[in-house]
Amino acid sequence: MASKARLTRTRNIGIVAHIDAGKTTVTERILFYTGRSYKMGEVHDGEAVMDWMPQEQERGITITSAVTTCNWVNHEIHIIDTPGHVDFTIEVERSLRVLDGALVVFCAVGGVEPQSETVWHQADKYGVPKIAFINKIDRIGADFFGTVDMMRKRFNSIPLMIQIPYGQGEQFEGVIDLIGRQAILWDESSLGLNYEYKTPPQGLAHKVAEYRDQLIETLAEMDDDLADKYLEGTEITEGEILSAIRNATLSLKAVPVMCGAALKNKGIQPILDAVVRFLPSPEDIPPVRGINPRTKQEEIRMSSVNEPLAALAFKIILDEGRKMTYLRIYSGRIQAGEELYNVGKSKKEKIARLLKMHANKRERLEQAGAGDIIAVMGLKETMTGDTLCDENHPILLEPIEFYEPVISQAIEAKTPADQEKLTAALTKLMDEDPTLRVTYDEETAQTIISGMGELHLEIIADRLVREFNAHVNLGKPRVVYRETIQKNTEAEGRFEKEIGEKRHFGHVRLRLEPAERGSGTDVLRKIDETVVPAEYHAAIEEGIRESLTAGVVAGYPLIDMKISIIDGSYREGESSTLGYKIAASLALKDGCTRGDAILLEPIMTVDVITPKEFMGEVIGDINMRRGEVQAVSAKGAVSEIRARVPLKAMFGYSTDLRSATQGRAVFSMQFLMYDKA
């Protein structure tokens, strides 16, 4: 029973928000008030516990999600502090995939910002219950009620105000708890550690009664028992209100909304109370579903240590060169030194060590069970999104969805010594970050790295230098063009030369015709064996195919042509394989010049999803980039624009799109075809 009680008192939550709403500051306060840290680290001083990477401390932003554990009123809370910058959206996605609840932080001045919309929809996708905290109520221009109104319009869940601010802007003193009809005031001299409940001033009594009544009325619409009491005019107890809020939160119908000023140490302890009261324990979430790879049937695992093991690897980091894997255990238990089964790779993996994480500090564990979020050392094959389970009861959990990279840069090592380090370092970074891709382009002999945005690639380059001592140069990747002809033509090539005692002869006539875009190049043998013996036909074709690699305009490969070998001549004793190969090559070059050769450039299909109010700017920008809009379709409050745009015009697009749409539009692009430049 002990483990059952422990599960009931466990909370796995993520703190998510737009960049600069104050997520990390809220986390630092939570750690301080729960006794997890002895002093509060500030983001602006580069001392936040959770922002432990040097790149995070310098830029004052969160890049990687950090995991920690703290205790509050006999409950164990596992917290993941996630990044707010759109370039690191995979960190939020994979955290939400394994969490049971989320605390969404909004800025009272900025309101519902673009990235907070994105993370809110990500949480909805995984069915994660949420609590909202409107931060920075002490700032000039703060508007608590305006932000709640924006939430009501933008999201499909109902905001439940369970607190209202006691004063706003510079007059902000504390919060008023509508459930208990109490004002909560913090003592600034104790860094907000001490706080007291007071009766709200007489002047606010009317406002408190009005908003409390609104809260109960909204709850009554979702809860039949409460509705009956409300209609009869019976007094509704605090316990009944709390229970109705919890039910509405867990069923994703509503989101409790709270307020405060994290930097001024006001409003944090009630958040912890709300996490414990309203967010689910691992027992409250639906059982995890997966496929049994042997029977191909869907199976479920209840959140219990008595069920067979099911755990998901959701993040991999390199710790002083060693691989550390973060796991969420959904069912069963894991012992240090035990062998686990990676069902996707059909491999056994041995756990060397189990660790409970506190940002980048850790403590050793002997065992962990259902509901835990832990780090393990020793897993060699396991990657992000892999399922670990009991080999006798295999289950494959739904993997984590990754985003396709949208921006690429060429990368090269500064010295040969750096080159060796670079190859190994990029492999390790790709293990860690599923949105980073590394490809080698044979044609330009460049190594290309692709990622989610310019900041993403900048951080990668920075980490290569700092963590792996690999010095690199980043440049723009070259666009690779192609060439083709525009009109039908015939051409011939003749070769006769003495090479070392032997005379070589070849004579070939070709017909060249342009083909449809994307159809490739066909070489057809339409030559009679009486004209040129069959033994030389393969040599002629080989000469043509070798010459297709370099065209006549700028030396790019030739595509989309129909080439027919139609005629030639033969000389007894002089004709040779080499002669026909060279003659075919000369004929092709001559034919391309006569056929009016042109350059073709890569054209991409670009899909942009933007709020309707920015549609004009987005379409105007696509037209400026020589793009063609193919279709525009409305999807609720957003529009999807599909266009064809040359790749060359797409460099820097992610940054331009964000500035044109306040960061609220997203795009994806993929190669479509080569077309006339």
Side-chain angles (χ1 to χ4, degrees):
M1 268 314 285
S3 77
K4 179 100 176 145
R6 186 189 72 85
L7 267 184
T8 312
R9 295 197 315 274
T10 301
R11 298 289 179 275
N12 290 314
I13 66 159
I15 301 188
V16 296
H18 185 85
I19 192 163
D20 265 355
K23 289 179 304 307
T24 303
T25 307
V26 169
T27 313
E28 294 298 320
R29 298 303 181 270
I30 287 174
L31 297 180
F32 181 65
Y33 298 137
T34 55
R36 187 72 242 211
S37 11
Y38 302 107
K39 75 180 192 71
M40 286 187 269
E42 300 298 4
V43 176
H44 50 258
D45 299 334
E47 284 180 2
V49 176
M50 300 301 271
D51 286 352
W52 55 271
M53 286 171 69
Q55 293 85 348
E56 296 179 311
Q57 291 164 356
E58 284 166 17
R59 291 172 174 81
I61 60 168
T62 305
I63 291 166
T64 172
S65 45
V67 181
T68 190
T69 303
C70 58
N71 291 292
W72 185 252
V73 294
N74 203 15
H75 281 68
E76 187 174 284
I77 304 174
H78 303 147
I79 299 173
I80 299 187
D81 174 32
T82 63
H85 198 288
V86 61
D87 282 15
F88 308 106
T89 186
I90 181 63
E91 288 288 340
V92 183
E93 181 88 17
R94 59 180 168 192
S95 302
L96 287 169
R97 169 70 175 78
V98 298
L99 291 169
D100 305 334
L103 171 65
V104 189
V105 182
F106 295 95
C107 163
V109 183
V112 176
E113 293 169 290
Q115 194 58 17
S116 43
E117 275 184 72
T118 309
V119 296
W120 190 281
H121 296 316
Q122 281 173 314
D124 279 349
K125 177 166 110 184
Y126 291 117
V128 176
K130 299 170 280 291
I131 290 175
F133 175 67
I134 298 178
N135 190 21
K136 305 190 181 183
I137 297 282
D138 58 319
R139 292 273 184 94
I140 294 167
D143 183 357
F144 172 75
F145 297 102
T147 304
V148 174
D149 208 43
M150 282 176 86
M151 289 169 70
R152 202 172 277 120
K153 288 182 181 138
R154 297 249 175 111
F155 303 134
N156 52 7
S157 34
I158 298 162
L160 288 177
M161 284 189 281
I162 58 172
Q163 295 179 342
I164 56 171
Y166 182 177
Q168 266 192 147
E170 289 174 354
Q171 271 75 52
F172 177 63
E173 291 184 47
V175 303
I176 292 172
D177 169 29
L178 295 176
I179 303 166
R181 294 180 257 207
Q182 296 265 305
I184 312 175
L185 302 173
W186 280 265
D187 166 27
E188 296 194 11
S189 65
S190 71
L191 288 176
L193 266 173
N194 303 328
Y195 54 104
E196 55 180 346
Y197 287 83
K198 284 187 166 174
T199 308
Q202 208 50 48
L204 283 172
H206 171 68
K207 204 174 181 184
V208 173
E210 181 195 336
Y211 283 116
R212 188 176 193 268
D213 210 42
Q214 257 185 35
L215 170 68
I216 294 170
E217 199 178 310
T218 311
L219 287 169
E221 286 170 14
M222 305 178 207
D223 187 313
D224 295 344
D225 298 343
L226 213 63
D228 296 341
K229 284 193 146 187
Y230 180 70
L231 293 168
E232 288 162 13
T234 318
E235 179 63 28
I236 293 166
T237 66
E238 248 183 73
E240 287 171 325
I241 295 175
L242 291 172
S243 161
I245 294 172
R246 178 173 170 83
N247 292 337
T249 307
L250 295 188
S251 61
L252 305 178
K253 286 179 189 160
V255 176
V257 181
M258 311 173 76
C259 58
L263 202 59
K264 294 276 165 65
N265 310 317
K266 291 177 182 175
I268 302 299
Q269 293 91 338
I271 295 178
L272 287 162
D273 291 336
V275 164
V276 166
R277 281 175 182 159
F278 307 133
L279 288 181
S281 76
E283 289 181 325
D284 296 317
I285 58 164
V288 66
R289 295 175 178 279
I291 301 291
N292 180 328
R294 290 178 192 155
T295 63
K296 302 285 182 270
Q297 296 297 309
E298 187 175 72
E299 289 186 10
I300 60 167
R301 293 279 185 274
M302 306 297 285
S303 193
S304 154
V305 290
N306 302 322
E307 289 257 318
L309 174 72
L312 187 77
F314 68 96
K315 183 177 163 71
I316 284 164
I317 65 166
L318 293 167
D319 180 60
E320 292 165 5
R322 291 199 309 274
K323 185 167 157 182
M324 186 153 74
T325 310
Y326 281 88
L327 298 181
R328 161 72 201 258
I329 307 174
Y330 287 101
S331 61
R333 54 158 62 99
I334 296 177
Q335 310 269 354
E338 192 181 358
E339 250 193 355
L340 304 182
Y341 183 60
N342 180 331
V343 61
K345 302 221 164 54
S346 306
K347 292 235 167 95
K348 286 183 180 172
E349 292 265 49
K350 190 167 172 145
I351 286 188
R353 264 191 259 161
L354 278 181
L355 304 163
K356 185 189 238 177
M357 297 305 293
H358 177 48
N360 59 339
K361 300 181 181 67
R362 64 199 63 164
E363 93 198 48
R364 292 277 289 265
L365 293 175
E366 279 316 303
Q367 66 163 357
D372 284 336
I373 291 178
I374 52 157
V376 299
M377 307 287 271
L379 302 182
K380 293 190 171 64
E381 305 280 340
T382 302
M383 305 303 279
T384 303
D386 284 359
T387 304
L388 293 163
C389 62
D390 170 0
E391 194 176 358
N392 299 324
H393 301 90
I395 186 168
L396 188 60
L397 303 177
E398 184 194 343
I400 298 169
E401 278 184 36
F402 299 134
Y403 295 85
E404 285 303 309
V406 294
I407 183 168
S408 307
Q409 278 184 309
I411 187 168
E412 60 177 25
K414 288 192 174 172
T415 67
D418 288 326
Q419 182 59 49
E420 280 176 35
K421 294 180 201 158
L422 177 65
T423 312
L426 285 174
T427 309
K428 287 179 175 171
L429 289 174
M430 276 203 294
D431 283 354
E432 234 183 73
D433 181 351
T435 55
L436 173 70
R437 301 279 163 83
V438 180
T439 50
Y440 182 73
D441 189 325
E442 298 280 347
E443 292 179 27
T444 60
Q446 284 178 314
T447 299
I448 305 286
I449 57 170
S450 310
M452 297 305 296
E454 281 150 53
L455 178 65
H456 184 195
L457 296 184
E458 183 191 312
I459 301 277
I460 293 289
D462 193 30
R463 289 187 62 191
L464 285 169
V465 176
R466 288 196 202 201
E467 292 172 36
F468 300 96
N469 197 21
H471 296 270
V472 295
N473 294 321
L474 281 180
K476 268 194 180 173
R478 271 172 55 193
V479 176
V480 180
Y481 293 89
R482 294 283 185 268
E483 296 184 19
T484 193
I485 55 168
Q486 295 186 84
K487 60 183 192 194
N488 295 350
T489 182
E490 288 189 9
E492 63 183 316
R494 180 185 285 272
F495 179 78
E496 38 187 323
K497 197 171 186 186
E498 202 165 294
I499 303 174
E501 314 269 308
K502 181 170 175 8
R503 193 155 183 79
H504 290 270
F505 173 79
H507 172 221
V508 178
R509 191 166 181 81
L510 304 178
R511 183 186 302 123
L512 277 57
E513 299 163 80
E516 238 179 81
R517 292 281 171 270
S519 63
T521 300
D522 284 331
V523 179
L524 309 170
R525 301 181 189 178
K526 291 186 174 176
I527 184 168
D528 202 304
E529 290 181 20
T530 57
V531 180
V532 174
E535 67 200 74
Y536 297 116
H537 292 187
I540 297 174
E541 188 171 332
E542 202 181 319
I544 294 170
R545 293 211 180 271
E546 281 177 10
S547 300
L548 287 171
T549 55
V552 296
V553 184
Y556 288 107
L558 288 153
I559 59 166
D560 299 346
M561 293 160 62
K562 189 169 145 195
I563 303 167
S564 308
I565 308 165
I566 52 170
D567 200 7
S569 61
Y570 169 73
R571 283 188 196 164
E572 187 74 50
E574 288 186 10
S575 284
S576 69
T577 306
L578 178 66
Y580 283 112
K581 247 175 114 168
I582 296 172
S585 170
L586 294 170
L588 183 71
K589 291 266 186 288
D590 180 42
C592 289
T593 310
R594 290 163 182 263
D596 207 0
I598 50 158
L599 272 187
L600 299 176
E601 65 179 340
I603 306 292
M604 314 301 280
T605 300
V606 179
D607 275 310
V608 186
I609 293 176
T610 172
K612 283 186 174 151
E613 59 262 39
F614 302 113
M615 214 165 76
E617 285 96 323
V618 173
I619 291 174
D621 182 58
I622 287 172
N623 292 335
M624 269 173 54
R625 293 173 191 271
R626 301 183 290 134
E628 273 174 50
V629 174
Q630 306 280 303
V632 178
S633 49
K635 292 184 174 178
V638 294
S639 291
E640 183 178 4
I641 300 164
R642 176 164 277 211
R644 293 170 44 167
V645 191
L647 174 63
K648 192 175 184 192
M650 288 301 289
F651 290 129
Y653 184 62
S654 51
T655 312
D656 295 348
L657 181 68
R658 278 176 210 161
S659 37
T661 61
Q662 298 169 13
R664 285 168 63 190
V666 290
F667 84 101
S668 63
M669 75 174 178
Q670 56 197 51
F671 174 75
L672 172 68
M673 61 191 279
Y674 276 95
D675 211 345
K676 190 172 173 179

